[in-house]
């Protein structure tokens, strides 16, 4: 017997329709790449998304066609999210920090028909265009006054003129909620990038879950500023969540340095933000140096890479901002787990509570997870056993876009994350490593993340990475690679190594320390350990 409820597919256009109708005057503030701050509202964005949809119809865009974006977090990028997906096409957000060869591969693999880009990326796009012949038209995301006088770009036009030619009279099509809505390629460090193709249904379910109290906990009183880029897993779903709950949206554009962020947060009364640890380290340092405190910011999500407990501690105790540590991946839309306490943990010691909050957290309803050993058998939830982390759920990828080996991404319905983790009795998951980064010493595993977290708590350490280097007896031993904080140039390897005493098992202690000026990062700001391993491939331990 079927239930007798209305059948309304979960479609992305419905989110902005809701925001325009019930939060129409709520603001979207955006720092523009061409300079200045832009103010609009959900009602205006809704009209402009419909103008875009009319433009796509005029340009012959059909359901399922891919439309690419190379853009910062701005109001125009927000409008594109809705105009593209709402009309049935696929919004393909591209990470402009990738190498040209990767960008060319991605654009050609996705077969993008139109490509929207910010003024910042004009020089980049001029290199890409001759290598991406399928792109029929390149659209500069600005007004006609910023169009270059001459350009070789095929059918170059500007965003504002494209919109100006259309009315906002548009009926969003209704289609199956499993229709593809957006596409994001994971920045493979060794293999070619792979496309994760989200659906309207997965996106809406993910947004509902992200808004829950133990996740992002956002509502109509919030002022949300996603610092995580809209080209990195849909800015963790915030461009959908904010209009869904009617929160004011503050988009930082290209201004991701600490001074610009702090100014924007204060001027726009931002209450909630989200981003990777590197960004928050920069902001923390700036707040310390200038002895400033946030007026309204109350909560931040840190994810995308392990959040060192020292960072969590500093934000909570010095800046009085609650940090929530979250784990996820492009393949999980991205939200999988968030660290918040349960009621029965209220009586735990402050240290025990902090330990739980420093973990990657508990699975949200919608994400099921387990850890398995090398034999594929499930491991106990004792906080000790660690193994490969497997997940499944309605916003977890079942396959990659255009995969040459379809059906191989999952095993018995579970997606292998490539992360190694423990799960404790209360359900808190801790990532100990990427499976490729775990250090195998004498047949036992050492967590590089744990060693990095400990090092980051030392005042002399600006950034730390731990990799395994070859060892004749143990096969691999940990090497700590450190960027020193200014003023700490005199710190010695011995001093740093003694900092581990009593904090980790003695056999976990790195064998050596190397000081470098900077560490290599991926295009999404994570440590690029493949590069480090190459750099130190012939490292001779004393
Ligand atoms: P991406 O798909 O580029 O977002 O990368 C996902 C990967 O980032 C995960 O598989 C983890 O290895 C890593 N990651 C994301 N969040 C965290 C976290 N909170 N702690 C540790 N690693 C994380």
């Amino acid at each position: 017997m079927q239930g007798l409820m209305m059948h309304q597919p979960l479609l992305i256009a419905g989110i902005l329709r809701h925001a325009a109708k019930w939060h129409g005057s709520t603001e979207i503030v955006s720092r523009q790449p061409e300079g200045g701050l832009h103010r609009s509202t959900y009602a205006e964005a809704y009209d402009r998304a419909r103008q875009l949809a009319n433009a796509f119809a005029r340009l012959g865009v059909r359901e399922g066609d891919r439309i690419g974006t190379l853009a910062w977090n701005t109001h125009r990028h927000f409008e594109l999210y809705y105009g593209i997906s709402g009309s049935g096409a696929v919004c393909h957000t591209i990470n402009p920090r990738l190498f040209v060869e990767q960008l060319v591969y991605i654009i050609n693999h996705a077969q993008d028909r139109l490509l929207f880009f910010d003024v910042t990326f004009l020089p980049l796009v001029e290199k890409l265009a001759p290598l991406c012949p399928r792109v029929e038209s390149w659209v500069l995301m600005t007004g006609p006054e910023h169009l270059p006088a001459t350009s070789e770009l095929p059918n170059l036009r500007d965003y504002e003129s494209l919109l100006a030619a259309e009315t906002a009279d548009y009926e969003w099509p209704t289609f199956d909620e499993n229709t593809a809505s957006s596409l994001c390629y994971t920045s493979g460090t060794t293999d070619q990038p792979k496309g994760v193709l989200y659906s309207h249904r997965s996106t809406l379910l993910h947004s509902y879950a992200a808004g829950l109290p133990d996740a992002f906990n956002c509502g109509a009183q919030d002022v949300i500023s996603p610092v995580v880029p809209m080209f990195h897993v849909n800015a963790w779903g915030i461009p959908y969540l904010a209009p869904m709950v009617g929160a004011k949206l503050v988009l930082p554009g290209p201004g991701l340095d600490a001074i610009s962020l702090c100014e924007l947060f204060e001027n726009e009364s931002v209450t909630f933000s989200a981003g990777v640890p590197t960004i928050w380290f920069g902001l923390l340092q700036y707040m310390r140096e200038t002895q400033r405190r946030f007026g309204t910011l109350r909560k931040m999500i840190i994810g995308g890479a392990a959040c060192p407990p020292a960072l969590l501690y500093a934000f909570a105790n010095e800046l009085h901002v609650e940090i929530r540590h979250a784990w996820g991946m492009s393949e999980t839309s991205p939200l999988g787990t968030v660290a918040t306490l349960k009621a029965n943990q209220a009586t735990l010691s402050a240290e025990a509570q902090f330990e739980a909050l420093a973990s990657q957290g508990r699975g949200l309803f919608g994400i099921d997870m387990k850890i398995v050993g090398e034999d594929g058998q499930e491991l106990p939830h004792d906080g000790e056993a660690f193994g490969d982390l497997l997940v499944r759920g309605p916003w977890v990828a079942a396959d990659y876009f255009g995969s040459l080996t379809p059906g191989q991404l999952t095993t018995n319905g579970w997606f292998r994350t490539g992360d190694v983790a423990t799960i404790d009795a209360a359900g808190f998951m801790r990532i100990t490593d990427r499976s490729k980064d775990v250090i195998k010493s004498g047949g036992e595993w050492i967590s590089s993340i744990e060693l990095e977290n400990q090092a980051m708590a030392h005042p002399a350490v600006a950034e730390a990475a731990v990799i395994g280097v070859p060892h004749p007896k143990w096969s691999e031993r940990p090497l700590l690679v450190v960027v020193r904080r200014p003023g700490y140039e005199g710190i010695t390897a011995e001093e740093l190594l003694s900092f581990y005493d009593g904090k980790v098992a003695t056999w976990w202690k790195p064998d050596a320390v190397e000081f470098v000026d900077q560490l290599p990062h991926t295009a999404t700001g994570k440590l690029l350990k493949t590069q480090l391993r190459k750099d130190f491939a012939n490292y001779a331990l004393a």
Side-chain angles (χ1 to χ4, degrees), residues 186-187 232-233 236 302-307 325-331 334 337 359-360 417-419 431 433-434 449 524 526:
T186 62
S187 43
H232 186 201
V233 214
W236 301 350
I302 293 202
C307 170
H325 190 195
W327 168 89
M329 338 177 42
S330 305
E331 289 88 339
T337 61
S359 79
Q360 274 71 13
T417 62
D419 286 329
I431 301 275
D433 253 313
R434 279 303 282 169
I449 292 185
T524 47
K526 300 173 202 225

PDB file of all heavy atoms in Angstrom, residues 186-187 232-233 236 302-307 325-331 334 337 359-360 417-419 431 433-434 449 524 526, ligand 1:
ATOM      1  N   THR A 186      37.256  15.514  -7.863  1.00  0.00           N
ATOM      2  CA  THR A 186      38.179  15.447  -6.726  1.00  0.00           C
ATOM      3  C   THR A 186      39.580  15.647  -7.285  1.00  0.00           C
ATOM      4  O   THR A 186      39.910  15.143  -8.352  1.00  0.00           O
ATOM      5  CB  THR A 186      38.128  14.085  -6.016  1.00  0.00           C
ATOM      6  OG1 THR A 186      38.532  13.087  -6.947  1.00  0.00           O
ATOM      7  CG2 THR A 186      36.757  13.769  -5.508  1.00  0.00           C
ATOM      8  N   SER A 187      40.361  16.396  -6.523  1.00  0.00           N
ATOM      9  CA  SER A 187      41.707  16.704  -7.000  1.00  0.00           C
ATOM     10  C   SER A 187      42.611  15.518  -6.698  1.00  0.00           C
ATOM     11  O   SER A 187      43.182  15.429  -5.624  1.00  0.00           O
ATOM     12  CB  SER A 187      42.231  17.953  -6.312  1.00  0.00           C
ATOM     13  OG  SER A 187      41.923  17.907  -4.938  1.00  0.00           O
ATOM     14  N   HIS A 232      34.659  23.831  -4.004  1.00  0.00           N
ATOM     15  CA  HIS A 232      35.091  22.688  -3.194  1.00  0.00           C
ATOM     16  C   HIS A 232      33.866  22.018  -2.575  1.00  0.00           C
ATOM     17  O   HIS A 232      33.344  22.466  -1.551  1.00  0.00           O
ATOM     18  CB  HIS A 232      36.084  23.144  -2.104  1.00  0.00           C
ATOM     19  CG  HIS A 232      36.672  21.993  -1.329  1.00  0.00           C
ATOM     20  ND1 HIS A 232      37.219  22.135  -0.097  1.00  0.00           N
ATOM     21  CD2 HIS A 232      36.779  20.691  -1.631  1.00  0.00           C
ATOM     22  CE1 HIS A 232      37.646  20.961   0.345  1.00  0.00           C
ATOM     23  NE2 HIS A 232      37.387  20.072  -0.579  1.00  0.00           N
ATOM     24  N   VAL A 233      33.385  20.966  -3.222  1.00  0.00           N
ATOM     25  CA  VAL A 233      32.186  20.228  -2.790  1.00  0.00           C
ATOM     26  C   VAL A 233      31.041  21.184  -2.437  1.00  0.00           C
ATOM     27  O   VAL A 233      30.478  21.147  -1.348  1.00  0.00           O
ATOM     28  CB  VAL A 233      32.436  19.297  -1.597  1.00  0.00           C
ATOM     29  CG1 VAL A 233      31.552  18.046  -1.739  1.00  0.00           C
ATOM     30  CG2 VAL A 233      33.859  18.889  -1.431  1.00  0.00           C
ATOM     31  N   TRP A 236      30.457  22.910   0.841  1.00  0.00           N
ATOM     32  CA  TRP A 236      29.927  22.032   1.887  1.00  0.00           C
ATOM     33  C   TRP A 236      28.399  22.189   2.045  1.00  0.00           C
ATOM     34  O   TRP A 236      27.842  21.990   3.125  1.00  0.00           O
ATOM     35  CB  TRP A 236      30.645  22.278   3.231  1.00  0.00           C
ATOM     36  CG  TRP A 236      32.130  22.041   3.143  1.00  0.00           C
ATOM     37  CD1 TRP A 236      32.816  21.480   2.102  1.00  0.00           C
ATOM     38  CD2 TRP A 236      33.133  22.352   4.129  1.00  0.00           C
ATOM     39  NE1 TRP A 236      34.160  21.437   2.373  1.00  0.00           N
ATOM     40  CE2 TRP A 236      34.377  21.954   3.599  1.00  0.00           C
ATOM     41  CE3 TRP A 236      33.070  22.927   5.403  1.00  0.00           C
ATOM     42  CZ2 TRP A 236      35.575  22.125   4.296  1.00  0.00           C
ATOM     43  CZ3 TRP A 236      34.253  23.086   6.091  1.00  0.00           C
ATOM     44  CH2 TRP A 236      35.496  22.688   5.539  1.00  0.00           C
ATOM     45  N   ILE A 302      35.160  23.273  11.020  1.00  0.00           N
ATOM     46  CA  ILE A 302      36.467  23.011  10.423  1.00  0.00           C
ATOM     47  C   ILE A 302      36.452  21.605   9.868  1.00  0.00           C
ATOM     48  O   ILE A 302      36.060  20.667  10.557  1.00  0.00           O
ATOM     49  CB  ILE A 302      37.600  23.126  11.460  1.00  0.00           C
ATOM     50  CG1 ILE A 302      37.721  24.578  11.909  1.00  0.00           C
ATOM     51  CG2 ILE A 302      38.909  22.624  10.869  1.00  0.00           C
ATOM     52  CD1 ILE A 302      39.054  24.924  12.478  1.00  0.00           C
ATOM     53  N   GLY A 303      36.875  21.482   8.634  1.00  0.00           N
ATOM     54  CA  GLY A 303      36.916  20.159   8.038  1.00  0.00           C
ATOM     55  C   GLY A 303      37.786  20.185   6.800  1.00  0.00           C
ATOM     56  O   GLY A 303      38.476  21.177   6.547  1.00  0.00           O
ATOM     57  N   GLY A 304      37.735  19.133   6.036  1.00  0.00           N
ATOM     58  CA  GLY A 304      38.530  19.051   4.811  1.00  0.00           C
ATOM     59  C   GLY A 304      39.916  18.501   5.088  1.00  0.00           C
ATOM     60  O   GLY A 304      40.570  17.973   4.207  1.00  0.00           O
ATOM     61  N   ALA A 305      40.390  18.651   6.318  1.00  0.00           N
ATOM     62  CA  ALA A 305      41.664  18.083   6.771  1.00  0.00           C
ATOM     63  C   ALA A 305      41.552  18.041   8.288  1.00  0.00           C
ATOM     64  O   ALA A 305      40.693  18.716   8.869  1.00  0.00           O
ATOM     65  CB  ALA A 305      42.826  18.958   6.339  1.00  0.00           C
ATOM     66  N   ALA A 306      42.423  17.253   8.915  1.00  0.00           N
ATOM     67  CA  ALA A 306      42.314  17.110  10.376  1.00  0.00           C
ATOM     68  C   ALA A 306      42.517  18.459  11.063  1.00  0.00           C
ATOM     69  O   ALA A 306      43.423  19.208  10.728  1.00  0.00           O
ATOM     70  CB  ALA A 306      43.367  16.121  10.855  1.00  0.00           C
ATOM     71  N   CYS A 307      41.636  18.764  12.017  1.00  0.00           N
ATOM     72  CA  CYS A 307      41.757  20.005  12.774  1.00  0.00           C
ATOM     73  C   CYS A 307      42.667  19.731  13.974  1.00  0.00           C
ATOM     74  O   CYS A 307      42.291  18.974  14.870  1.00  0.00           O
ATOM     75  CB  CYS A 307      40.387  20.466  13.237  1.00  0.00           C
ATOM     76  SG  CYS A 307      40.477  21.827  14.402  1.00  0.00           S
ATOM     77  N   HIS A 325      34.364  20.191  14.640  1.00  0.00           N
ATOM     78  CA  HIS A 325      35.226  19.453  13.737  1.00  0.00           C
ATOM     79  C   HIS A 325      34.362  18.486  12.932  1.00  0.00           C
ATOM     80  O   HIS A 325      33.580  17.742  13.507  1.00  0.00           O
ATOM     81  CB  HIS A 325      36.265  18.695  14.584  1.00  0.00           C
ATOM     82  CG  HIS A 325      37.363  18.091  13.776  1.00  0.00           C
ATOM     83  ND1 HIS A 325      38.197  17.136  14.280  1.00  0.00           N
ATOM     84  CD2 HIS A 325      37.760  18.292  12.497  1.00  0.00           C
ATOM     85  CE1 HIS A 325      39.069  16.777  13.348  1.00  0.00           C
ATOM     86  NE2 HIS A 325      38.821  17.468  12.263  1.00  0.00           N
ATOM     87  N   ALA A 326      34.479  18.551  11.625  1.00  0.00           N
ATOM     88  CA  ALA A 326      33.640  17.714  10.765  1.00  0.00           C
ATOM     89  C   ALA A 326      34.514  16.959   9.777  1.00  0.00           C
ATOM     90  O   ALA A 326      35.582  17.429   9.400  1.00  0.00           O
ATOM     91  CB  ALA A 326      32.643  18.573  10.004  1.00  0.00           C
ATOM     92  N   TRP A 327      34.056  15.811   9.389  1.00  0.00           N
ATOM     93  CA  TRP A 327      34.766  15.016   8.379  1.00  0.00           C
ATOM     94  C   TRP A 327      33.847  14.761   7.189  1.00  0.00           C
ATOM     95  O   TRP A 327      32.632  14.565   7.359  1.00  0.00           O
ATOM     96  CB  TRP A 327      35.196  13.658   8.971  1.00  0.00           C
ATOM     97  CG  TRP A 327      35.661  12.675   7.924  1.00  0.00           C
ATOM     98  CD1 TRP A 327      36.925  12.529   7.455  1.00  0.00           C
ATOM     99  CD2 TRP A 327      34.861  11.746   7.196  1.00  0.00           C
ATOM    100  NE1 TRP A 327      36.964  11.559   6.475  1.00  0.00           N
ATOM    101  CE2 TRP A 327      35.704  11.062   6.302  1.00  0.00           C
ATOM    102  CE3 TRP A 327      33.497  11.423   7.209  1.00  0.00           C
ATOM    103  CZ2 TRP A 327      35.239  10.076   5.431  1.00  0.00           C
ATOM    104  CZ3 TRP A 327      33.024  10.447   6.335  1.00  0.00           C
ATOM    105  CH2 TRP A 327      33.901   9.781   5.464  1.00  0.00           C
ATOM    106  N   GLY A 328      34.438  14.775   6.010  1.00  0.00           N
ATOM    107  CA  GLY A 328      33.666  14.405   4.829  1.00  0.00           C
ATOM    108  C   GLY A 328      34.569  14.386   3.623  1.00  0.00           C
ATOM    109  O   GLY A 328      35.768  14.642   3.723  1.00  0.00           O
ATOM    110  N   MET A 329      33.998  14.085   2.480  1.00  0.00           N
ATOM    111  CA  MET A 329      34.757  14.017   1.239  1.00  0.00           C
ATOM    112  C   MET A 329      33.862  14.470   0.094  1.00  0.00           C
ATOM    113  O   MET A 329      32.640  14.503   0.231  1.00  0.00           O
ATOM    114  CB  MET A 329      35.217  12.593   0.893  1.00  0.00           C
ATOM    115  CG  MET A 329      35.287  11.648   2.001  1.00  0.00           C
ATOM    116  SD  MET A 329      35.754   9.984   1.530  1.00  0.00           S
ATOM    117  CE  MET A 329      37.064  10.192   0.366  1.00  0.00           C
ATOM    118  N   SER A 330      34.474  14.737  -1.055  1.00  0.00           N
ATOM    119  CA  SER A 330      33.679  15.079  -2.242  1.00  0.00           C
ATOM    120  C   SER A 330      32.640  13.983  -2.472  1.00  0.00           C
ATOM    121  O   SER A 330      31.484  14.268  -2.796  1.00  0.00           O
ATOM    122  CB  SER A 330      34.570  15.164  -3.484  1.00  0.00           C
ATOM    123  OG  SER A 330      35.615  16.059  -3.259  1.00  0.00           O
ATOM    124  N   GLU A 331      33.053  12.740  -2.280  1.00  0.00           N
ATOM    125  CA  GLU A 331      32.160  11.607  -2.552  1.00  0.00           C
ATOM    126  C   GLU A 331      31.028  11.492  -1.533  1.00  0.00           C
ATOM    127  O   GLU A 331      30.112  10.699  -1.724  1.00  0.00           O
ATOM    128  CB  GLU A 331      32.962  10.290  -2.545  1.00  0.00           C
ATOM    129  CG  GLU A 331      33.893  10.118  -3.741  1.00  0.00           C
ATOM    130  CD  GLU A 331      35.276  10.718  -3.502  1.00  0.00           C
ATOM    131  OE1 GLU A 331      35.401  11.597  -2.612  1.00  0.00           O
ATOM    132  OE2 GLU A 331      36.211  10.317  -4.209  1.00  0.00           O
ATOM    133  N   PRO A 334      29.604  17.060   1.274  1.00  0.00           N
ATOM    134  CA  PRO A 334      30.632  16.193   1.821  1.00  0.00           C
ATOM    135  C   PRO A 334      30.340  15.702   3.237  1.00  0.00           C
ATOM    136  O   PRO A 334      31.098  14.920   3.768  1.00  0.00           O
ATOM    137  CB  PRO A 334      31.826  17.141   1.906  1.00  0.00           C
ATOM    138  CG  PRO A 334      31.220  18.444   2.301  1.00  0.00           C
ATOM    139  CD  PRO A 334      29.852  18.464   1.686  1.00  0.00           C
ATOM    140  N   THR A 337      30.484  13.215   9.252  1.00  0.00           N
ATOM    141  CA  THR A 337      30.439  13.222  10.718  1.00  0.00           C
ATOM    142  C   THR A 337      30.720  14.621  11.243  1.00  0.00           C
ATOM    143  O   THR A 337      31.396  15.417  10.588  1.00  0.00           O
ATOM    144  CB  THR A 337      31.516  12.283  11.305  1.00  0.00           C
ATOM    145  OG1 THR A 337      32.807  12.753  10.888  1.00  0.00           O
ATOM    146  CG2 THR A 337      31.347  10.844  10.855  1.00  0.00           C
ATOM    147  N   SER A 359      37.816  14.787  18.017  1.00  0.00           N
ATOM    148  CA  SER A 359      37.699  13.679  17.060  1.00  0.00           C
ATOM    149  C   SER A 359      36.934  14.172  15.824  1.00  0.00           C
ATOM    150  O   SER A 359      36.478  15.315  15.796  1.00  0.00           O
ATOM    151  CB  SER A 359      36.930  12.520  17.708  1.00  0.00           C
ATOM    152  OG  SER A 359      35.536  12.791  17.683  1.00  0.00           O
ATOM    153  N   GLN A 360      36.809  13.299  14.815  1.00  0.00           N
ATOM    154  CA  GLN A 360      36.064  13.711  13.609  1.00  0.00           C
ATOM    155  C   GLN A 360      34.559  13.631  13.844  1.00  0.00           C
ATOM    156  O   GLN A 360      33.784  14.103  13.022  1.00  0.00           O
ATOM    157  CB  GLN A 360      36.488  12.858  12.419  1.00  0.00           C
ATOM    158  CG  GLN A 360      37.724  13.380  11.687  1.00  0.00           C
ATOM    159  CD  GLN A 360      39.016  13.223  12.474  1.00  0.00           C
ATOM    160  OE1 GLN A 360      39.078  12.516  13.483  1.00  0.00           O
ATOM    161  NE2 GLN A 360      40.061  13.883  12.024  1.00  0.00           N
ATOM    162  N   THR A 417      36.450   4.742   1.729  1.00  0.00           N
ATOM    163  CA  THR A 417      36.825   6.168   1.763  1.00  0.00           C
ATOM    164  C   THR A 417      38.306   6.402   1.491  1.00  0.00           C
ATOM    165  O   THR A 417      38.683   7.507   1.123  1.00  0.00           O
ATOM    166  CB  THR A 417      36.517   6.779   3.138  1.00  0.00           C
ATOM    167  OG1 THR A 417      37.316   6.085   4.114  1.00  0.00           O
ATOM    168  CG2 THR A 417      35.056   6.661   3.500  1.00  0.00           C
ATOM    169  N   GLY A 418      39.149   5.372   1.739  1.00  0.00           N
ATOM    170  CA  GLY A 418      40.593   5.607   1.630  1.00  0.00           C
ATOM    171  C   GLY A 418      41.147   6.189   2.919  1.00  0.00           C
ATOM    172  O   GLY A 418      42.334   6.476   3.017  1.00  0.00           O
ATOM    173  N   ASP A 419      40.288   6.380   3.926  1.00  0.00           N
ATOM    174  CA  ASP A 419      40.746   6.852   5.229  1.00  0.00           C
ATOM    175  C   ASP A 419      40.849   5.669   6.181  1.00  0.00           C
ATOM    176  O   ASP A 419      40.101   4.697   6.062  1.00  0.00           O
ATOM    177  CB  ASP A 419      39.754   7.873   5.807  1.00  0.00           C
ATOM    178  CG  ASP A 419      39.852   9.211   5.104  1.00  0.00           C
ATOM    179  OD1 ASP A 419      40.958   9.562   4.643  1.00  0.00           O
ATOM    180  OD2 ASP A 419      38.830   9.909   5.015  1.00  0.00           O
ATOM    181  N   ILE A 431      39.890   9.848  12.489  1.00  0.00           N
ATOM    182  CA  ILE A 431      40.719   9.505  11.334  1.00  0.00           C
ATOM    183  C   ILE A 431      42.154   9.440  11.830  1.00  0.00           C
ATOM    184  O   ILE A 431      42.651  10.405  12.421  1.00  0.00           O
ATOM    185  CB  ILE A 431      40.628  10.603  10.249  1.00  0.00           C
ATOM    186  CG1 ILE A 431      39.183  10.800   9.772  1.00  0.00           C
ATOM    187  CG2 ILE A 431      41.587  10.313   9.096  1.00  0.00           C
ATOM    188  CD1 ILE A 431      38.731   9.875   8.710  1.00  0.00           C
ATOM    189  N   ASP A 433      44.586   8.367   9.586  1.00  0.00           N
ATOM    190  CA  ASP A 433      45.371   8.636   8.385  1.00  0.00           C
ATOM    191  C   ASP A 433      44.563   8.438   7.118  1.00  0.00           C
ATOM    192  O   ASP A 433      43.519   7.810   7.143  1.00  0.00           O
ATOM    193  CB  ASP A 433      46.576   7.689   8.296  1.00  0.00           C
ATOM    194  CG  ASP A 433      47.865   8.409   8.604  1.00  0.00           C
ATOM    195  OD1 ASP A 433      48.030   9.486   8.041  1.00  0.00           O
ATOM    196  OD2 ASP A 433      48.653   7.903   9.402  1.00  0.00           O
ATOM    197  N   ARG A 434      45.121   8.963   5.995  1.00  0.00           N
ATOM    198  CA  ARG A 434      44.721   8.461   4.684  1.00  0.00           C
ATOM    199  C   ARG A 434      45.420   7.107   4.597  1.00  0.00           C
ATOM    200  O   ARG A 434      46.551   6.964   5.087  1.00  0.00           O
ATOM    201  CB  ARG A 434      45.292   9.334   3.561  1.00  0.00           C
ATOM    202  CG  ARG A 434      44.583  10.603   3.218  1.00  0.00           C
ATOM    203  CD  ARG A 434      43.167  10.463   2.832  1.00  0.00           C
ATOM    204  NE  ARG A 434      42.922   9.995   1.461  1.00  0.00           N
ATOM    205  CZ  ARG A 434      41.729   9.621   1.030  1.00  0.00           C
ATOM    206  NH1 ARG A 434      40.683   9.609   1.838  1.00  0.00           N
ATOM    207  NH2 ARG A 434      41.549   9.239  -0.224  1.00  0.00           N
ATOM    208  N   ILE A 449      48.719  11.702  11.363  1.00  0.00           N
ATOM    209  CA  ILE A 449      47.882  12.833  11.815  1.00  0.00           C
ATOM    210  C   ILE A 449      48.088  13.088  13.301  1.00  0.00           C
ATOM    211  O   ILE A 449      48.207  14.237  13.738  1.00  0.00           O
ATOM    212  CB  ILE A 449      46.393  12.567  11.503  1.00  0.00           C
ATOM    213  CG1 ILE A 449      46.176  12.585   9.991  1.00  0.00           C
ATOM    214  CG2 ILE A 449      45.497  13.606  12.173  1.00  0.00           C
ATOM    215  CD1 ILE A 449      44.744  12.454   9.551  1.00  0.00           C
ATOM    216  N   THR A 524      43.173  22.259  -2.793  1.00  0.00           N
ATOM    217  CA  THR A 524      42.145  22.554  -1.790  1.00  0.00           C
ATOM    218  C   THR A 524      42.785  22.808  -0.424  1.00  0.00           C
ATOM    219  O   THR A 524      42.115  22.765   0.603  1.00  0.00           O
ATOM    220  CB  THR A 524      41.101  21.420  -1.690  1.00  0.00           C
ATOM    221  OG1 THR A 524      41.785  20.176  -1.626  1.00  0.00           O
ATOM    222  CG2 THR A 524      40.154  21.429  -2.857  1.00  0.00           C
ATOM    223  N   LYS A 526      45.137  21.111   1.263  1.00  0.00           N
ATOM    224  CA  LYS A 526      45.591  19.999   2.119  1.00  0.00           C
ATOM    225  C   LYS A 526      47.080  19.755   1.891  1.00  0.00           C
ATOM    226  O   LYS A 526      47.601  20.072   0.818  1.00  0.00           O
ATOM    227  CB  LYS A 526      44.833  18.723   1.770  1.00  0.00           C
ATOM    228  CG  LYS A 526      43.361  18.900   1.977  1.00  0.00           C
ATOM    229  CD  LYS A 526      42.624  17.688   1.473  1.00  0.00           C
ATOM    230  CE  LYS A 526      41.209  18.107   1.184  1.00  0.00           C
ATOM    231  NZ  LYS A 526      40.213  17.243   1.650  1.00  0.00           N
TER     232      LYS A 526
HETATM  233  P1  LIG B   1      38.095  15.929  -0.580  1.00  0.00           P
HETATM  234  O1  LIG B   1      37.252  14.976  -1.302  1.00  0.00           O
HETATM  235  O2  LIG B   1      39.083  16.640  -1.452  1.00  0.00           O
HETATM  236  O3  LIG B   1      37.296  16.874   0.235  1.00  0.00           O
HETATM  237  O4  LIG B   1      39.003  15.098   0.435  1.00  0.00           O
HETATM  238  C1  LIG B   1      38.444  14.219   1.378  1.00  0.00           C
HETATM  239  C2  LIG B   1      39.500  13.735   2.316  1.00  0.00           C
HETATM  240  O5  LIG B   1      39.964  14.797   3.159  1.00  0.00           O
HETATM  241  C3  LIG B   1      39.000  12.704   3.300  1.00  0.00           C
HETATM  242  O6  LIG B   1      38.958  11.419   2.729  1.00  0.00           O
HETATM  243  C4  LIG B   1      40.027  12.803   4.409  1.00  0.00           C
HETATM  244  O7  LIG B   1      41.210  12.111   4.108  1.00  0.00           O
HETATM  245  C5  LIG B   1      40.318  14.278   4.433  1.00  0.00           C
HETATM  246  N1  LIG B   1      39.512  14.921   5.480  1.00  0.00           N
HETATM  247  C6  LIG B   1      38.382  15.622   5.347  1.00  0.00           C
HETATM  248  N2  LIG B   1      37.957  16.070   6.544  1.00  0.00           N
HETATM  249  C7  LIG B   1      38.837  15.619   7.469  1.00  0.00           C
HETATM  250  C8  LIG B   1      38.948  15.716   8.892  1.00  0.00           C
HETATM  251  N3  LIG B   1      38.089  16.418   9.614  1.00  0.00           N
HETATM  252  N4  LIG B   1      39.977  15.084   9.492  1.00  0.00           N
HETATM  253  C9  LIG B   1      40.885  14.383   8.772  1.00  0.00           C
HETATM  254  N5  LIG B   1      40.840  14.270   7.444  1.00  0.00           N
HETATM  255  C10 LIG B   1      39.828  14.869   6.791  1.00  0.00           C
END
